[in-house]
Amino acid sequence: MQGRDWLLTGEGQYQICKSVRAWDLLRENYRLYRFLTEVEDVLNGVGDESSRLPEIRMLVRRLIANSYWVRSQHLEPCPKTGTSVVLLYDELGFPLTVQTVTFAPGTTSNIHNHGTWGVVAVLKGQEKNTVWRHTDNSTFSGKIEQTGEIILSPGDIVSFTPDAIHSVQAVGDEPTVTFNIYGETDPKQRFEFDLVTHTVRKF
């Protein structure tokens, strides 16, 4: 499942990044526990976030390529909310959350940032990411503007910095399934944005 690697930043930029070659991904017995250990090694050994994200994207791509179990861990979307979440890992004292998320076709998120880094891989369906940025110098302002959008298909991976602002929508005729990994969220830096009132609130 080879695809493109994307990076979203707080300045509203979105760019394609260099991706690892498919034949460098195959590992025998590469399972979730090994993935988590290698992500921990990156977090402990690489201080610069701009260097961490390419390493973590590569590990996500390796996990998806080698673990049928991970690719199969998802539910049908809830009829009421249009989404479902399977929590694969979330341990107190370890700054990682790993999950799969399913969106029913047409389901749209609010506009938000995450207050932490994140990497999302599309396993099934398609996901539209709309990218936004602040129109002034305040990161606490609700005044934002759209800078563009990208369509992600199976095999595509998007990573984002803690201040990157986006919204997502499941497009196409089938549910969208994603594999998501996030760092430790700073609740004081995670927001959702209202385009009508130009306000921001904690998310």
Side-chain angles (χ1 to χ4, degrees):
M1 187 185 293
Q2 187 68 25
R4 301 166 298 171
D5 284 10
W6 291 89
L7 173 65
L8 310 184
T9 71
E11 294 78 30
Q13 297 177 346
Y14 51 103
Q15 61 190 49
I16 293 182
C17 305
K18 184 178 180 181
S19 182
V20 66
R21 297 172 299 181
W23 53 85
D24 290 333
L25 296 171
L26 299 180
R27 294 288 189 277
E28 187 174 353
N29 297 323
Y30 193 80
R31 301 188 181 95
L32 182 62
Y33 78 91
R34 187 165 301 191
F35 166 78
L36 292 170
T37 299
E38 293 187 357
V39 171
E40 183 180 26
D41 290 343
V42 170
L43 296 178
N44 290 336
V46 182
D48 179 24
E49 191 167 88
S50 62
S51 300
R52 283 179 175 179
L53 284 175
E55 294 289 330
I56 295 172
R57 283 197 307 267
M58 184 275 292
L59 294 176
V60 169
R61 195 170 286 286
R62 178 178 291 166
L63 179 66
I64 298 306
N66 290 281
S67 176
Y68 172 80
W69 180 83
V70 167
R71 296 195 305 272
S72 67
Q73 296 304 299
H74 57 86
L75 300 172
E76 291 298 314
C78 171
K80 291 184 178 180
T81 65
T83 65
S84 66
V85 177
V86 176
L87 186 62
L88 300 178
Y89 184 85
D90 186 18
E91 183 176 350
L92 185 66
F94 191 53
L96 286 178
T97 300
V98 182
Q99 60 193 24
T100 59
V101 181
T102 307
F103 297 93
T107 303
T108 303
S109 76
N110 57 1
I111 303 171
H112 62 280
N113 70 0
H114 285 269
T116 186
W117 60 266
V119 178
V120 175
V122 177
L123 304 180
K124 294 182 179 181
Q126 289 187 312
E127 178 184 277
K128 179 171 74 173
N129 268 252
T130 303
V131 188
W132 309 79
R133 70 177 175 191
H134 292 282
T135 57
D136 54 33
N137 294 326
S138 172
T139 57
F140 297 96
S141 169
K143 296 179 180 179
I144 59 174
E145 64 181 1
Q146 181 178 331
T147 60
E149 60 185 34
I150 55 178
I151 303 292
L152 305 177
S153 299
D156 289 338
I157 292 178
V158 61
S159 58
F160 41 82
T161 59
D163 56 349
I165 304 171
H166 73 151
S167 55
V168 299
Q169 179 182 13
V171 295
D173 298 327
E174 64 175 323
T176 297
V177 180
T178 61
F179 171 88
N180 303 21
I181 178 171
Y182 302 104
E184 187 171 19
T185 300
D186 181 350
K188 296 180 180 179
Q189 298 294 327
R190 190 176 190 196
F191 306 108
E192 62 176 323
F193 302 85
D194 190 317
L195 283 180
V196 176
T197 62
H198 303 289
T199 56
V200 60
R201 62 186 179 190
K202 290 184 178 179
F203 177 40

